[in-house]
Amino acid sequence: MKRIMIFIILGVMMAPPAAMAIKQAELQLSVAFPDPVKAGDKITFQVVILNTGSETWLANRYSIYAEIYDAREKYLAKTDQILGNVAVGSAGMAIIYLPYAIPQDEYEGMYKYRIIVNYENKRILYSDFLSYTVSSIARKEEKAFLLPVKLNGKGMVSYRNSTEENWDSYLWNFNLGLMGQAFDNPMMFKLDSGIATDGFRLNTILLNYRLPALSVSAGDVMPVFSQLAFYNTGVRGFMVEYKPGKIELAGVLASSVFARQGTDTASGSYARYTGGARAGLEAVKDMKFGVSCVYTADAPGSLTDPAVSMAPAKNLVLAADVSCLMFGNFLLDGEYAYSSYSADLASDTAALDDGAYRISFSAMLGDITAGITYKEVGTYFSSLNSSYSISDRAGIEGLLNYSLDFLKIYFMYGRFNDNLSNAPEKVTTAIDNLSSFVTVAFRGFPVCTLGYTWNSLVGNPASLVNNVTRNASIGITHKIWETNISAGYQVAEFYDITDLSSDIISYSGNLRFNRMINNIISLNAGVNYSRLYSIDLPKTDQTAGASAGVNYRLIPEKFIISGFTSVSRRIDDAGTTDNLYINLNVDGTYNISSEMALTVGTGWINSADQINSANSCQSWSLGTRASYSF
């Protein structure tokens, strides 16, 4: 237990500064359809946004729109903002369709657009320029020759191998992303797969097809029924959403866990399947009701050797939720869920039944967003498809987000208690969490972000569990003489009042810069240093590192050479650690055409253990990648 606690503490203390935890987004794919479009008609920007941050985007808190520019990148207009009505977990995707009416008198030629994503009035994505074409004349004579399917996208094939396993550690990777229309309705397809020495890997697959009121998805889907029933859990299967008017219907049938054989020392996992349905109704304007049912069960015959003490389980969750938007700025929503959980399908032991509920109130007043939530999850409540529901815990949390062009303030505080049934064999704990970030950005001056987090865990009795973790950080970014410079410093402290584990203090800092020279050479470099004290041992660990990279457009628009290198060393004053790590990568990319590119590269890694040379190793790697856009 003590060792696990130390690993958790080190993970928290060595994490990036708090300012980096802000929601992040990446544009995965965007296609304008139809393209070209006739002046006076409507064009739709089909967009796939990836949540690259560590936190979930809550429904109705993020919005997406497009800015329209002419060929010279002069701003013209913007589309209506589309409010995201489903939660998007970390690494999850949001599929959005942005309609835009082309003015009747629009000139013929190329136009550009950008995709913008805001979360609680804070911009988290501002894409590069994309393009579409406007035609002032309708080509009716060509209409008969149009195929019922028109797709745009990008495909990529890559290969990598290294000397680690005597050139037997190869990996083929296949990526394909498609967006467009089929029979006048939008569709999207995404595939990420590979072949390695251990066989075929299907990392991601998703097909989505939308009719005016119907959305059908197959592959890796992430249903959002309610926070207690089905939330922030990716599954592979089929999902259907039907929204005729004020009614919302959804269903999912999928596999949530793949079978994995056990060993003598580790448990395997049964294949787990999930089926669920949800029905929602907007009874009156801005007031919605919904009910959900989710059933999950393991397949007993999916394992030949489950190994260490493992049995197939089943879980039923029934939930009801309600939300009310008042005066356009205040949202009151809540839900109640009942669960029945059986840890062993073959046992006659009665299932464990319990309940959970949540109530939230939030206000969105211009630049200010505030909210408060109370949640109580019963001791025996179990929802296998919701990471939001931690059983045997109750508490309250509130947040405040204030966002201006030059000032952004984020504050969150939560307090939770567990062991709700006061079971004598459990240690009751009180958990307090506080997070705060302040960003100041005056035009022409450095952008400064201050962060502070505080976490407390106190048990009853406190002699068993009583610790505090504090983290303070500062980050500064600025542009000087066309060079972007960023610096950060962080102090983290952990104090165990019970003295069951060592108190720890760490200091870390970093400095980075990047610069583009004549739009031909891009340079970036950085250094970092950290020092960690284990006060009670006593012991000090130090890590220092440096990295540098360059991109050189040897033949503009045709051939690019890239290089990256990093070196780091870790030592301690106890004489037990002295590791040196060096990494070097070089590759070249040749653009065969505007649609096709080929990349070839090599890399070298040297890991030297100065104390025990048997742990030292080095390896070479070779890789190639071909991509085609259409």
Side-chain angles (χ1 to χ4, degrees), residues 531-543:
R531 181 189 293 262
L532 188 145
Y533 298 94
S534 298
I535 298 175
D536 299 332
L537 293 180
K539 181 183 176 183
T540 301
D541 286 89
Q542 299 181 73
T543 302

Side-chain angles (χ1 to χ4, degrees), residues 117-138:
V117 180
N118 291 331
Y119 189 90
E120 293 181 339
N121 297 320
K122 175 183 173 57
R123 180 175 292 176
I124 59 174
L125 172 67
Y126 194 53
S127 77
D128 294 332
F129 282 106
L130 304 156
S131 64
Y132 65 93
T133 304
V134 172
S135 172
S136 59
I137 303 175

Side-chain angles (χ1 to χ4, degrees), residues 293-366:
C293 175
V294 181
Y295 179 75
T296 304
D298 294 336
S302 59
L303 290 187
T304 57
D305 183 14
V308 183
S309 61
M310 189 170 184
K314 65 178 180 179
N315 179 218
L316 172 68
V317 179
L318 303 175
D321 60 90
V322 60
S323 67
C324 179
L325 182 64
M326 299 171 288
F327 309 110
N329 300 102
F330 302 95
L331 179 65
L332 178 66
D333 68 296
E335 63 178 302
Y336 175 82
Y338 158 85
S339 81
S340 177
Y341 177 77
S342 176
D344 189 351
L345 291 175
S347 173
D348 294 331
T349 305
L352 297 175
D353 302 339
D354 213 332
Y357 67 93
R358 172 191 62 84
I359 184 168
S360 302
F361 178 76
S362 58
M364 295 157 281
L365 303 171

Side-chain angles (χ1 to χ4, degrees), residues 94 145 174 280 554:
F145 300 97
F174 307 92
L554 187 62

Side-chain angles (χ1 to χ4, degrees), residues 62-331:
Y62 64 96
S63 60
I64 302 175
Y65 66 96
E67 292 179 345
I68 312 300
Y69 298 80
D70 64 14
R72 297 183 178 181
E73 299 180 2
K74 178 183 177 182
Y75 175 79
L76 299 176
K78 67 179 180 180
T79 67
D80 292 335
Q81 290 197 38
I82 302 297
L83 196 64
N85 58 3
V86 297
V88 181
S90 178
M93 291 185 296
I95 305 173
I96 303 293
Y97 299 87
L98 304 172
Y100 174 66
I102 304 295
Q104 186 70 40
D105 57 352
E106 196 84 289
Y107 289 105
E108 188 174 42
M110 185 183 75
Y111 288 78
K112 298 184 178 182
Y113 69 97
R114 275 177 158 168
I115 302 299
I116 295 89
V117 180
N118 291 331
Y119 189 90
E120 293 181 339
N121 297 320
K122 175 183 173 57
R123 180 175 292 176
I124 59 174
L125 172 67
Y126 194 53
S127 77
D128 294 332
F129 282 106
L130 304 156
S131 64
Y132 65 93
T133 304
V134 172
S135 172
S136 59
I137 303 175
R139 296 181 172 87
K140 295 183 179 179
E141 66 276 11
E142 295 181 7
K143 199 165 185 178
F145 300 97
L146 291 178
L147 294 174
V149 177
K150 182 176 181 180
L151 299 173
N152 298 84
K154 183 177 182 178
M156 184 182 73
V157 179
S158 65
Y159 173 80
R160 187 174 182 84
N161 207 339
S162 73
T163 59
E164 283 188 21
E165 301 291 338
N166 195 24
W167 297 107
D168 196 28
S169 57
Y170 65 87
L171 174 63
W172 285 95
N173 192 259
F174 307 92
N175 272 275
L176 179 63
L178 301 173
M179 286 194 73
Q181 294 207 357
F183 301 95
D184 297 324
N185 293 296
M187 69 165 291
M188 184 275 291
F189 178 75
K190 183 175 178 64
L191 172 69
D192 177 11
S193 62
I195 299 176
T197 52
D198 57 353
F200 178 74
R201 304 175 182 176
L202 183 56
N203 303 317
T204 303
I205 184 170
L206 175 63
L207 172 66
N208 175 258
Y209 185 69
R210 295 198 176 194
L211 297 169
L214 180 67
S215 175
V216 180
S217 300
D220 296 317
V221 296
M222 188 175 288
V224 177
F225 288 178
S226 72
Q227 293 187 14
L228 294 173
F230 210 137
Y231 185 77
N232 200 20
T233 300
V235 295
R236 179 168 293 174
F238 299 93
M239 182 172 69
V240 177
E241 298 172 286
Y242 183 52
K243 299 180 180 180
K246 296 184 177 182
I247 299 175
E248 297 181 2
L249 301 174
V252 62
L253 183 63
S255 168
S256 54
V257 177
F258 295 108
R260 186 182 72 251
Q261 299 295 330
T263 67
D264 293 336
T265 57
S267 298
S269 59
Y270 287 96
R272 177 170 292 172
Y273 299 96
T274 297
R278 171 177 168 79
L281 173 66
E282 186 176 4
V284 296
K285 182 175 174 57
D286 296 329
M287 180 172 285
K288 297 180 180 180
F289 299 90
V291 292
S292 304
C293 175
V294 181
Y295 179 75
T296 304
D298 294 336
S302 59
L303 290 187
T304 57
D305 183 14
V308 183
S309 61
M310 189 170 184
K314 65 178 180 179
N315 179 218
L316 172 68
V317 179
L318 303 175
D321 60 90
V322 60
S323 67
C324 179
L325 182 64
M326 299 171 288
F327 309 110
N329 300 102
F330 302 95
L331 179 65

